[in-house]
Short mmCIF file of all heavy atoms in Angstrom, two decimals:
data_model
loop_
_atom_site.label_atom_id
_atom_site.label_comp_id
_atom_site.label_asym_id
_atom_site.label_seq_id
_atom_site.Cartn_x
_atom_site.Cartn_y
_atom_site.Cartn_z
N MET A 1 72.53 22.15 44.65
CA MET A 1 72.27 23.57 44.52
C MET A 1 71.41 23.84 43.30
O MET A 1 71.37 23.07 42.36
CB MET A 1 73.59 24.34 44.43
CG MET A 1 74.39 24.05 43.17
SD MET A 1 75.84 25.10 43.03
CE MET A 1 75.09 26.60 42.38
N ALA A 2 70.74 24.95 43.30
CA ALA A 2 69.91 25.31 42.16
C ALA A 2 70.70 26.18 41.20
O ALA A 2 71.38 27.11 41.61
CB ALA A 2 68.68 26.05 42.64
N PHE A 3 70.59 25.87 39.93
CA PHE A 3 71.25 26.68 38.92
C PHE A 3 70.27 27.72 38.39
O PHE A 3 69.10 27.42 38.17
CB PHE A 3 71.72 25.80 37.75
CG PHE A 3 72.90 24.96 38.09
CD1 PHE A 3 72.74 23.67 38.55
CD2 PHE A 3 74.19 25.47 37.95
CE1 PHE A 3 73.84 22.89 38.86
CE2 PHE A 3 75.30 24.69 38.26
CZ PHE A 3 75.12 23.39 38.71
N ASN A 4 70.75 28.92 38.23
CA ASN A 4 69.89 29.91 37.59
C ASN A 4 70.00 29.73 36.08
O ASN A 4 70.93 29.13 35.58
CB ASN A 4 70.31 31.33 38.00
CG ASN A 4 71.64 31.73 37.39
OD1 ASN A 4 71.75 31.95 36.19
ND2 ASN A 4 72.67 31.80 38.20
N ASN A 5 69.07 30.24 35.35
CA ASN A 5 69.18 30.15 33.89
C ASN A 5 69.18 31.53 33.24
O ASN A 5 68.69 31.73 32.15
CB ASN A 5 68.08 29.26 33.30
CG ASN A 5 66.71 29.81 33.59
OD1 ASN A 5 66.59 30.83 34.27
ND2 ASN A 5 65.68 29.19 33.08
N SER A 6 69.71 32.48 33.99
CA SER A 6 69.79 33.82 33.45
C SER A 6 70.99 33.93 32.52
O SER A 6 72.02 33.32 32.73
CB SER A 6 69.94 34.82 34.59
OG SER A 6 70.40 36.05 34.08
N LYS A 7 70.83 34.72 31.47
CA LYS A 7 71.93 34.88 30.53
C LYS A 7 73.00 35.82 31.06
O LYS A 7 74.10 35.87 30.55
CB LYS A 7 71.40 35.43 29.20
CG LYS A 7 70.78 34.35 28.34
CD LYS A 7 70.30 34.95 27.03
CE LYS A 7 69.68 33.85 26.16
NZ LYS A 7 68.92 34.43 25.06
N THR A 8 72.63 36.58 32.06
CA THR A 8 73.59 37.58 32.54
C THR A 8 74.29 37.15 33.82
O THR A 8 75.20 37.83 34.28
CB THR A 8 72.90 38.93 32.78
OG1 THR A 8 71.81 38.73 33.68
CG2 THR A 8 72.37 39.52 31.49
N LEU A 9 73.85 36.04 34.39
CA LEU A 9 74.48 35.59 35.63
C LEU A 9 75.19 34.26 35.42
O LEU A 9 74.72 33.39 34.72
CB LEU A 9 73.41 35.42 36.74
CG LEU A 9 72.68 36.70 37.17
CD1 LEU A 9 71.67 36.35 38.26
CD2 LEU A 9 73.66 37.75 37.65
N CYS A 10 76.34 34.18 36.05
CA CYS A 10 77.10 32.94 35.99
C CYS A 10 76.33 31.82 36.70
O CYS A 10 75.84 32.01 37.81
CB CYS A 10 78.45 33.17 36.67
SG CYS A 10 79.40 31.66 36.92
N PRO A 11 76.20 30.66 36.06
CA PRO A 11 75.43 29.57 36.66
C PRO A 11 76.11 28.98 37.89
O PRO A 11 75.46 28.28 38.68
CB PRO A 11 75.33 28.53 35.53
CG PRO A 11 76.45 28.84 34.62
CD PRO A 11 76.69 30.33 34.72
N PHE A 12 77.38 29.25 38.07
CA PHE A 12 78.08 28.68 39.23
C PHE A 12 78.02 29.61 40.45
O PHE A 12 77.52 29.24 41.50
CB PHE A 12 79.53 28.38 38.88
CG PHE A 12 79.66 27.21 37.95
CD1 PHE A 12 80.10 27.40 36.66
CD2 PHE A 12 79.35 25.93 38.37
CE1 PHE A 12 80.21 26.32 35.78
CE2 PHE A 12 79.46 24.85 37.51
CZ PHE A 12 79.89 25.04 36.21
N CYS A 13 78.52 30.81 40.28
CA CYS A 13 78.63 31.69 41.45
C CYS A 13 77.51 32.73 41.51
O CYS A 13 77.44 33.51 42.46
CB CYS A 13 79.99 32.38 41.47
SG CYS A 13 80.20 33.56 40.12
N ASN A 14 76.64 32.73 40.50
CA ASN A 14 75.56 33.72 40.44
C ASN A 14 76.08 35.15 40.31
O ASN A 14 75.36 36.11 40.58
CB ASN A 14 74.63 33.62 41.64
CG ASN A 14 73.72 32.41 41.53
OD1 ASN A 14 73.27 32.06 40.44
ND2 ASN A 14 73.45 31.77 42.64
N GLY A 15 77.32 35.30 39.91
CA GLY A 15 77.87 36.63 39.69
C GLY A 15 77.56 37.09 38.28
O GLY A 15 77.24 36.29 37.40
N VAL A 16 77.63 38.37 38.05
CA VAL A 16 77.43 38.90 36.71
C VAL A 16 78.56 38.43 35.81
O VAL A 16 79.74 38.59 36.14
CB VAL A 16 77.39 40.44 36.74
CG1 VAL A 16 77.22 41.00 35.33
CG2 VAL A 16 76.27 40.92 37.63
N ASN A 17 78.23 37.80 34.70
CA ASN A 17 79.28 37.22 33.86
C ASN A 17 79.85 38.21 32.86
O ASN A 17 80.80 37.91 32.15
CB ASN A 17 78.76 35.96 33.15
CG ASN A 17 77.57 36.25 32.27
OD1 ASN A 17 77.41 37.34 31.72
ND2 ASN A 17 76.69 35.28 32.13
N LYS A 18 79.24 39.37 32.78
CA LYS A 18 79.72 40.43 31.88
C LYS A 18 79.78 39.97 30.43
O LYS A 18 80.55 40.47 29.63
CB LYS A 18 81.12 40.93 32.29
CG LYS A 18 81.16 41.59 33.64
CD LYS A 18 82.48 42.37 33.79
CE LYS A 18 82.61 43.01 35.16
NZ LYS A 18 82.94 42.03 36.20
N CYS A 19 78.94 39.01 30.08
CA CYS A 19 78.92 38.55 28.70
C CYS A 19 78.29 39.61 27.82
O CYS A 19 77.24 40.15 28.15
CB CYS A 19 78.14 37.24 28.57
SG CYS A 19 78.16 36.59 26.89
N SER A 20 78.94 39.89 26.71
CA SER A 20 78.36 40.86 25.79
C SER A 20 78.10 40.22 24.43
O SER A 20 78.18 40.87 23.40
CB SER A 20 79.26 42.09 25.68
OG SER A 20 80.60 41.69 25.48
N ALA A 21 77.82 38.94 24.45
CA ALA A 21 77.58 38.22 23.19
C ALA A 21 76.40 38.81 22.44
O ALA A 21 76.33 38.73 21.22
CB ALA A 21 77.35 36.74 23.47
N GLU A 22 75.46 39.37 23.17
CA GLU A 22 74.27 39.90 22.51
C GLU A 22 74.38 41.40 22.25
O GLU A 22 73.46 42.03 21.76
CB GLU A 22 73.04 39.58 23.35
CG GLU A 22 72.75 38.10 23.32
CD GLU A 22 71.48 37.73 24.07
OE1 GLU A 22 70.95 38.61 24.77
OE2 GLU A 22 71.04 36.59 23.96
N SER A 23 75.49 41.98 22.62
CA SER A 23 75.68 43.39 22.31
C SER A 23 76.54 43.52 21.05
O SER A 23 76.90 42.52 20.43
CB SER A 23 76.34 44.12 23.48
OG SER A 23 77.71 43.77 23.55
N GLU A 24 76.90 44.72 20.70
CA GLU A 24 77.59 44.91 19.43
C GLU A 24 79.07 44.55 19.48
O GLU A 24 79.66 44.17 18.48
CB GLU A 24 77.44 46.37 18.97
CG GLU A 24 76.06 46.61 18.39
CD GLU A 24 75.80 48.09 18.14
OE1 GLU A 24 76.76 48.80 17.83
OE2 GLU A 24 74.64 48.51 18.27
N SER A 25 79.66 44.68 20.64
CA SER A 25 81.07 44.33 20.74
C SER A 25 81.23 42.84 20.99
O SER A 25 80.36 42.19 21.57
CB SER A 25 81.72 45.11 21.88
OG SER A 25 81.04 44.88 23.08
N ALA A 26 82.34 42.29 20.53
CA ALA A 26 82.60 40.88 20.73
C ALA A 26 82.83 40.61 22.21
O ALA A 26 83.48 41.37 22.90
CB ALA A 26 83.81 40.46 19.92
N CYS A 27 82.28 39.52 22.66
CA CYS A 27 82.40 39.20 24.08
C CYS A 27 83.74 38.54 24.38
O CYS A 27 84.28 37.81 23.55
CB CYS A 27 81.27 38.27 24.49
SG CYS A 27 81.34 37.82 26.23
N TRP A 28 84.24 38.81 25.57
CA TRP A 28 85.48 38.16 25.98
C TRP A 28 85.35 36.64 25.92
O TRP A 28 86.34 35.93 25.73
CB TRP A 28 85.87 38.60 27.40
CG TRP A 28 84.80 38.25 28.40
CD1 TRP A 28 83.78 39.06 28.83
CD2 TRP A 28 84.64 37.02 29.11
NE1 TRP A 28 83.00 38.38 29.73
CE2 TRP A 28 83.50 37.14 29.93
CE3 TRP A 28 85.35 35.82 29.12
CZ2 TRP A 28 83.05 36.09 30.74
CZ3 TRP A 28 84.91 34.79 29.93
CH2 TRP A 28 83.76 34.93 30.74
N CYS A 29 84.14 36.13 26.07
CA CYS A 29 83.99 34.68 26.17
C CYS A 29 84.27 33.98 24.84
O CYS A 29 84.47 32.77 24.82
CB CYS A 29 82.61 34.30 26.72
SG CYS A 29 81.22 34.69 25.63
N PHE A 30 84.32 34.73 23.74
CA PHE A 30 84.68 34.09 22.48
C PHE A 30 86.18 33.80 22.41
O PHE A 30 86.62 32.99 21.62
CB PHE A 30 84.31 35.00 21.30
CG PHE A 30 82.83 35.16 21.12
CD1 PHE A 30 82.28 36.40 20.89
CD2 PHE A 30 81.98 34.06 21.21
CE1 PHE A 30 80.91 36.55 20.71
CE2 PHE A 30 80.62 34.20 21.04
CZ PHE A 30 80.08 35.45 20.80
N GLU A 31 86.93 34.52 23.22
CA GLU A 31 88.38 34.37 23.15
C GLU A 31 88.95 33.47 24.23
O GLU A 31 90.14 33.21 24.28
CB GLU A 31 89.05 35.75 23.24
CG GLU A 31 88.83 36.55 21.98
CD GLU A 31 89.08 38.02 22.21
OE1 GLU A 31 89.83 38.37 23.13
OE2 GLU A 31 88.51 38.83 21.45
N VAL A 32 88.09 33.04 25.12
CA VAL A 32 88.55 32.21 26.23
C VAL A 32 88.19 30.76 25.97
O VAL A 32 87.08 30.45 25.55
CB VAL A 32 87.90 32.69 27.55
CG1 VAL A 32 88.24 31.75 28.69
CG2 VAL A 32 88.36 34.09 27.87
N GLN A 33 89.15 29.89 26.17
CA GLN A 33 88.89 28.47 26.07
C GLN A 33 88.21 28.00 27.35
O GLN A 33 88.78 28.07 28.42
CB GLN A 33 90.20 27.70 25.88
CG GLN A 33 90.74 27.75 24.47
CD GLN A 33 89.96 26.85 23.51
OE1 GLN A 33 89.45 25.81 23.92
NE2 GLN A 33 89.87 27.25 22.26
N ILE A 34 86.98 27.57 27.23
CA ILE A 34 86.30 27.04 28.39
C ILE A 34 86.45 25.52 28.39
O ILE A 34 86.02 24.86 27.44
CB ILE A 34 84.81 27.44 28.39
CG1 ILE A 34 84.71 28.97 28.41
CG2 ILE A 34 84.08 26.83 29.57
CD1 ILE A 34 83.32 29.51 28.32
N PRO A 35 87.10 24.99 29.42
CA PRO A 35 87.35 23.54 29.44
C PRO A 35 86.04 22.76 29.35
O PRO A 35 85.05 23.11 29.99
CB PRO A 35 88.01 23.32 30.80
CG PRO A 35 88.51 24.66 31.22
CD PRO A 35 87.59 25.66 30.61
N LYS A 36 86.04 21.70 28.54
CA LYS A 36 84.84 20.87 28.40
C LYS A 36 84.43 20.28 29.73
O LYS A 36 83.25 20.08 30.00
CB LYS A 36 85.11 19.74 27.39
CG LYS A 36 85.03 20.20 25.96
CD LYS A 36 84.17 19.25 25.13
CE LYS A 36 83.72 19.88 23.83
NZ LYS A 36 84.88 20.30 23.02
N SER A 37 85.43 19.98 30.56
CA SER A 37 85.12 19.38 31.85
C SER A 37 84.44 20.38 32.78
O SER A 37 83.81 20.00 33.76
CB SER A 37 86.39 18.83 32.49
OG SER A 37 87.44 19.76 32.40
N LEU A 38 84.57 21.67 32.45
CA LEU A 38 83.88 22.68 33.25
C LEU A 38 82.42 22.78 32.83
O LEU A 38 81.52 22.71 33.68
CB LEU A 38 84.57 24.04 33.09
CG LEU A 38 83.89 25.24 33.77
CD1 LEU A 38 83.68 24.99 35.26
CD2 LEU A 38 84.71 26.50 33.58
N THR A 39 82.16 22.86 31.55
CA THR A 39 80.76 22.92 31.10
C THR A 39 80.04 21.62 31.42
O THR A 39 78.83 21.61 31.59
CB THR A 39 80.68 23.19 29.58
OG1 THR A 39 81.54 22.29 28.90
CG2 THR A 39 81.08 24.60 29.26
N ALA A 40 80.81 20.54 31.55
CA ALA A 40 80.20 19.24 31.86
C ALA A 40 79.55 19.24 33.24
O ALA A 40 78.71 18.40 33.54
CB ALA A 40 81.24 18.13 31.77
N LEU A 41 79.94 20.20 34.08
CA LEU A 41 79.36 20.27 35.41
C LEU A 41 77.95 20.88 35.39
O LEU A 41 77.21 20.77 36.35
CB LEU A 41 80.25 21.13 36.33
CG LEU A 41 81.65 20.59 36.63
CD1 LEU A 41 82.43 21.60 37.44
CD2 LEU A 41 81.58 19.27 37.37
N LEU A 42 77.62 21.52 34.28
CA LEU A 42 76.31 22.15 34.17
C LEU A 42 75.24 21.15 33.76
O LEU A 42 75.52 20.21 33.04
CB LEU A 42 76.36 23.28 33.13
CG LEU A 42 77.13 24.54 33.49
CD1 LEU A 42 77.24 25.44 32.27
CD2 LEU A 42 76.47 25.28 34.62
N PRO A 43 74.02 21.38 34.21
CA PRO A 43 72.92 20.55 33.71
C PRO A 43 72.78 20.73 32.20
O PRO A 43 73.01 21.83 31.69
CB PRO A 43 71.68 21.13 34.42
CG PRO A 43 72.20 21.93 35.56
CD PRO A 43 73.57 22.38 35.18
N ILE A 44 72.42 19.66 31.51
CA ILE A 44 72.34 19.68 30.04
C ILE A 44 71.63 20.92 29.51
O ILE A 44 72.08 21.55 28.57
CB ILE A 44 71.57 18.42 29.54
CG1 ILE A 44 72.36 17.16 29.92
CG2 ILE A 44 71.32 18.48 28.05
CD1 ILE A 44 73.63 16.95 29.12
N GLY A 45 70.52 21.28 30.12
CA GLY A 45 69.72 22.39 29.61
C GLY A 45 70.41 23.74 29.66
O GLY A 45 69.98 24.68 29.01
N LEU A 46 71.48 23.83 30.45
CA LEU A 46 72.13 25.14 30.61
C LEU A 46 73.37 25.29 29.76
O LEU A 46 73.87 26.39 29.56
CB LEU A 46 72.51 25.36 32.08
CG LEU A 46 71.37 25.73 33.03
CD1 LEU A 46 71.94 26.03 34.40
CD2 LEU A 46 70.61 26.94 32.52
N ILE A 47 73.86 24.17 29.23
CA ILE A 47 75.09 24.24 28.44
C ILE A 47 74.83 25.07 27.19
O ILE A 47 73.83 24.90 26.51
CB ILE A 47 75.58 22.82 28.08
CG1 ILE A 47 75.97 22.10 29.37
CG2 ILE A 47 76.75 22.89 27.11
CD1 ILE A 47 76.35 20.65 29.17
N ASP A 48 75.74 25.98 26.91
CA ASP A 48 75.64 26.90 25.77
C ASP A 48 74.52 27.92 25.92
O ASP A 48 74.21 28.64 25.00
CB ASP A 48 75.44 26.13 24.45
CG ASP A 48 76.70 25.39 24.06
OD1 ASP A 48 77.78 25.80 24.50
OD2 ASP A 48 76.61 24.40 23.34
N LYS A 49 73.88 27.94 27.08
CA LYS A 49 72.82 28.94 27.29
C LYS A 49 73.30 30.01 28.27
O LYS A 49 73.09 31.19 28.07
CB LYS A 49 71.57 28.27 27.83
CG LYS A 49 70.92 27.35 26.82
CD LYS A 49 69.42 27.61 26.75
CE LYS A 49 68.79 26.93 25.55
NZ LYS A 49 68.90 25.46 25.64
N SER A 50 73.92 29.54 29.34
CA SER A 50 74.40 30.47 30.35
C SER A 50 75.88 30.69 30.16
O SER A 50 76.62 29.76 29.85
CB SER A 50 74.15 29.92 31.75
OG SER A 50 72.81 30.08 32.09
N CYS A 51 76.30 31.91 30.37
CA CYS A 51 77.71 32.22 30.28
C CYS A 51 78.37 32.02 31.65
O CYS A 51 77.86 32.48 32.66
CB CYS A 51 77.90 33.67 29.84
SG CYS A 51 78.61 33.81 28.21
N ILE A 52 79.47 31.33 31.64
CA ILE A 52 80.23 31.17 32.87
C ILE A 52 81.13 32.40 33.00
O ILE A 52 81.68 32.87 32.01
CB ILE A 52 81.08 29.89 32.81
CG1 ILE A 52 80.14 28.68 32.67
CG2 ILE A 52 81.96 29.76 34.04
CD1 ILE A 52 80.82 27.43 32.20
N CYS A 53 81.26 32.93 34.21
CA CYS A 53 82.06 34.14 34.36
C CYS A 53 83.55 33.83 34.36
O CYS A 53 83.97 32.71 34.63
CB CYS A 53 81.65 34.91 35.62
SG CYS A 53 82.26 34.21 37.15
N LEU A 54 84.33 34.84 34.07
CA LEU A 54 85.77 34.68 33.96
C LEU A 54 86.38 34.19 35.27
O LEU A 54 87.30 33.38 35.29
CB LEU A 54 86.40 36.02 33.55
CG LEU A 54 87.83 35.99 33.03
CD1 LEU A 54 87.98 35.03 31.87
CD2 LEU A 54 88.25 37.39 32.60
N ALA A 55 85.85 34.66 36.37
CA ALA A 55 86.37 34.27 37.68
C ALA A 55 86.24 32.77 37.89
O ALA A 55 87.15 32.12 38.41
CB ALA A 55 85.65 35.03 38.79
N CYS A 56 85.11 32.22 37.47
CA CYS A 56 84.90 30.79 37.64
C CYS A 56 85.79 29.97 36.70
O CYS A 56 86.28 28.92 37.07
CB CYS A 56 83.43 30.43 37.44
SG CYS A 56 82.42 30.82 38.87
N ILE A 57 85.99 30.47 35.49
CA ILE A 57 86.87 29.77 34.55
C ILE A 57 88.29 29.73 35.13
O ILE A 57 88.95 28.69 35.12
CB ILE A 57 86.87 30.46 33.18
CG1 ILE A 57 85.49 30.30 32.53
CG2 ILE A 57 87.94 29.86 32.28
CD1 ILE A 57 85.28 31.18 31.32
N ASN A 58 88.73 30.86 35.66
CA ASN A 58 90.08 30.91 36.23
C ASN A 58 90.20 30.03 37.47
O ASN A 58 91.19 29.35 37.67
CB ASN A 58 90.44 32.35 36.58
CG ASN A 58 90.78 33.16 35.34
OD1 ASN A 58 91.17 32.59 34.32
ND2 ASN A 58 90.60 34.46 35.41
N ALA A 59 89.16 30.05 38.30
CA ALA A 59 89.18 29.22 39.50
C ALA A 59 89.24 27.75 39.13
O ALA A 59 89.94 26.96 39.77
CB ALA A 59 87.94 29.50 40.36
N PHE A 60 88.52 27.39 38.09
CA PHE A 60 88.51 26.00 37.63
C PHE A 60 89.88 25.59 37.11
O PHE A 60 90.39 24.51 37.41
CB PHE A 60 87.45 25.82 36.54
CG PHE A 60 87.34 24.41 36.02
CD1 PHE A 60 86.55 23.49 36.68
CD2 PHE A 60 88.01 24.01 34.88
CE1 PHE A 60 86.44 22.18 36.21
CE2 PHE A 60 87.92 22.71 34.41
CZ PHE A 60 87.12 21.80 35.08
N LYS A 61 90.49 26.49 36.33
CA LYS A 61 91.81 26.17 35.76
C LYS A 61 92.87 26.09 36.85
O LYS A 61 93.81 25.31 36.77
CB LYS A 61 92.21 27.24 34.74
CG LYS A 61 91.50 27.08 33.41
CD LYS A 61 91.92 28.18 32.46
CE LYS A 61 91.32 27.97 31.07
NZ LYS A 61 91.57 29.14 30.21
N GLU A 62 92.70 26.92 37.87
CA GLU A 62 93.68 26.96 38.95
C GLU A 62 93.62 25.70 39.81
O GLU A 62 94.61 25.12 40.18
CB GLU A 62 93.41 28.17 39.83
CG GLU A 62 94.60 29.11 39.93
CD GLU A 62 94.17 30.45 40.50
OE1 GLU A 62 93.68 30.47 41.64
OE2 GLU A 62 94.31 31.46 39.79
N ASN A 63 92.41 25.31 40.14
CA ASN A 63 92.25 24.15 41.01
C ASN A 63 90.93 23.45 40.71
O ASN A 63 89.91 23.72 41.32
CB ASN A 63 92.33 24.58 42.47
CG ASN A 63 92.51 23.38 43.39
OD1 ASN A 63 92.06 22.27 43.08
ND2 ASN A 63 93.15 23.59 44.51
N GLU A 64 91.00 22.55 39.74
CA GLU A 64 89.81 21.86 39.29
C GLU A 64 89.14 21.08 40.42
O GLU A 64 87.91 21.06 40.56
CB GLU A 64 90.19 20.91 38.15
CG GLU A 64 89.01 20.22 37.51
CD GLU A 64 89.40 19.44 36.25
OE1 GLU A 64 90.42 19.79 35.62
OE2 GLU A 64 88.69 18.48 35.92
N HIS A 65 89.95 20.46 41.24
CA HIS A 65 89.42 19.65 42.34
C HIS A 65 88.61 20.51 43.31
O HIS A 65 87.50 20.16 43.71
CB HIS A 65 90.56 18.95 43.06
CG HIS A 65 90.10 18.12 44.22
ND1 HIS A 65 89.45 16.91 44.07
CD2 HIS A 65 90.17 18.34 45.56
CE1 HIS A 65 89.16 16.42 45.27
NE2 HIS A 65 89.58 17.26 46.19
N LEU A 66 89.20 21.65 43.67
CA LEU A 66 88.53 22.54 44.63
C LEU A 66 87.23 23.09 44.04
O LEU A 66 86.21 23.19 44.72
CB LEU A 66 89.47 23.69 44.98
CG LEU A 66 89.20 24.41 46.30
CD1 LEU A 66 89.64 23.54 47.47
CD2 LEU A 66 89.95 25.73 46.33
N PHE A 67 87.29 23.43 42.76
CA PHE A 67 86.11 23.98 42.10
C PHE A 67 84.98 22.97 42.09
O PHE A 67 83.83 23.29 42.38
CB PHE A 67 86.47 24.37 40.66
CG PHE A 67 85.37 25.16 39.98
CD1 PHE A 67 85.33 26.53 40.08
CD2 PHE A 67 84.39 24.50 39.25
CE1 PHE A 67 84.31 27.25 39.46
CE2 PHE A 67 83.38 25.21 38.63
CZ PHE A 67 83.34 26.59 38.73
N LYS A 68 85.31 21.72 41.78
CA LYS A 68 84.29 20.67 41.76
C LYS A 68 83.71 20.43 43.14
O LYS A 68 82.54 20.12 43.29
CB LYS A 68 84.87 19.38 41.19
CG LYS A 68 84.97 19.39 39.69
CD LYS A 68 85.53 18.08 39.17
CE LYS A 68 85.58 18.09 37.65
NZ LYS A 68 86.36 16.94 37.14
N GLU A 69 84.57 20.57 44.15
CA GLU A 69 84.08 20.38 45.50
C GLU A 69 83.07 21.46 45.86
O GLU A 69 82.11 21.24 46.57
CB GLU A 69 85.25 20.43 46.50
CG GLU A 69 85.49 19.10 47.15
CD GLU A 69 86.68 19.14 48.09
OE1 GLU A 69 86.97 20.20 48.67
OE2 GLU A 69 87.32 18.09 48.22
N LYS A 70 83.31 22.65 45.34
CA LYS A 70 82.45 23.78 45.67
C LYS A 70 81.16 23.79 44.85
O LYS A 70 80.08 24.01 45.37
CB LYS A 70 83.24 25.08 45.42
CG LYS A 70 82.62 26.29 46.10
CD LYS A 70 83.59 27.48 45.95
CE LYS A 70 82.96 28.75 46.52
NZ LYS A 70 83.77 29.94 46.18
N TYR A 71 81.30 23.53 43.54
CA TYR A 71 80.14 23.71 42.66
C TYR A 71 79.66 22.42 41.99
O TYR A 71 78.60 22.38 41.40
CB TYR A 71 80.48 24.71 41.56
CG TYR A 71 80.74 26.12 42.06
CD1 TYR A 71 81.98 26.71 41.91
CD2 TYR A 71 79.72 26.84 42.67
CE1 TYR A 71 82.22 28.00 42.35
CE2 TYR A 71 79.95 28.12 43.13
CZ TYR A 71 81.20 28.70 42.96
OH TYR A 71 81.43 29.96 43.40
N GLY A 72 80.50 21.40 42.01
CA GLY A 72 80.16 20.19 41.28
C GLY A 72 79.01 19.44 41.93
O GLY A 72 78.59 19.75 43.04
N PRO A 73 78.51 18.44 41.20
CA PRO A 73 77.42 17.64 41.75
C PRO A 73 77.89 16.90 43.00
O PRO A 73 79.02 16.44 43.06
CB PRO A 73 77.09 16.66 40.60
CG PRO A 73 78.15 16.80 39.59
CD PRO A 73 78.96 18.01 39.89
N LYS A 74 77.04 16.83 43.96
CA LYS A 74 77.39 16.15 45.21
C LYS A 74 77.53 14.66 44.97
O LYS A 74 76.65 14.04 44.39
CB LYS A 74 76.33 16.41 46.26
CG LYS A 74 76.21 17.88 46.64
CD LYS A 74 77.23 18.25 47.71
CE LYS A 74 77.23 19.73 48.01
NZ LYS A 74 77.81 20.56 46.93
N GLN A 75 78.63 14.09 45.41
CA GLN A 75 78.76 12.64 45.37
C GLN A 75 77.84 12.08 46.45
O GLN A 75 77.64 12.71 47.46
CB GLN A 75 80.20 12.21 45.66
CG GLN A 75 81.25 13.04 44.96
CD GLN A 75 81.22 12.88 43.45
OE1 GLN A 75 80.90 11.81 42.94
NE2 GLN A 75 81.52 13.94 42.72
N ASN A 76 77.34 10.94 46.20
CA ASN A 76 76.33 10.23 47.00
C ASN A 76 75.03 10.96 46.92
O ASN A 76 74.20 11.23 47.49
CB ASN A 76 76.80 9.91 48.43
CG ASN A 76 76.71 11.09 49.41
OD1 ASN A 76 75.98 12.08 49.22
ND2 ASN A 76 77.47 11.01 50.47
ZN1 ZN B 101 81.05 32.58 38.15
#
């Protein structure tokens, strides 16, 4: 799949990530622990550039295997 590199869209589901890191209020993403194994699924160039949305973080925590099947790199 193709990853977008927009700062406002989640690189996994292409949903609005609601990140407000660049606005005046602190963003929710500063308070959420994003698993390293989740960011590891992103291409190197996108890590720390694109914000992952809360829905994807929760989906990953709930069922890592399912999440990888949906968004992770294709085996073979
Ligand atoms: Zn997402």
Side-chain angles (χ1 to χ4, degrees):
M1 66 174 280
F3 287 93
N4 70 71
N5 61 357
S6 164
K7 280 181 179 166
T8 55
L9 296 180
C10 170
F12 289 112
C13 67
N14 285 323
V16 178
N17 59 30
K18 296 195 182 75
C19 183
S20 47
E22 290 183 349
S23 74
E24 284 171 31
S25 56
C27 180
W28 59 267
C29 67
F30 292 135
E31 288 162 25
V32 173
Q33 281 285 328
I34 300 176
K36 281 228 163 58
S37 46
L38 175 55
T39 49
L41 296 175
L42 289 172
I44 296 289
L46 284 185
I47 295 174
D48 290 336
K49 292 227 168 64
S50 283
C51 248
I52 299 163
C53 76
L54 195 55
C56 282
I57 293 168
N58 285 336
F60 182 84
K61 283 179 175 171
E62 238 165 61
N63 194 330
E64 185 172 335
H65 179 74
L66 202 75
F67 189 88
K68 281 181 178 169
E69 247 178 30
K70 196 172 175 190
Y71 295 116
K74 297 276 174 288
Q75 317 294 327
N76 80 20

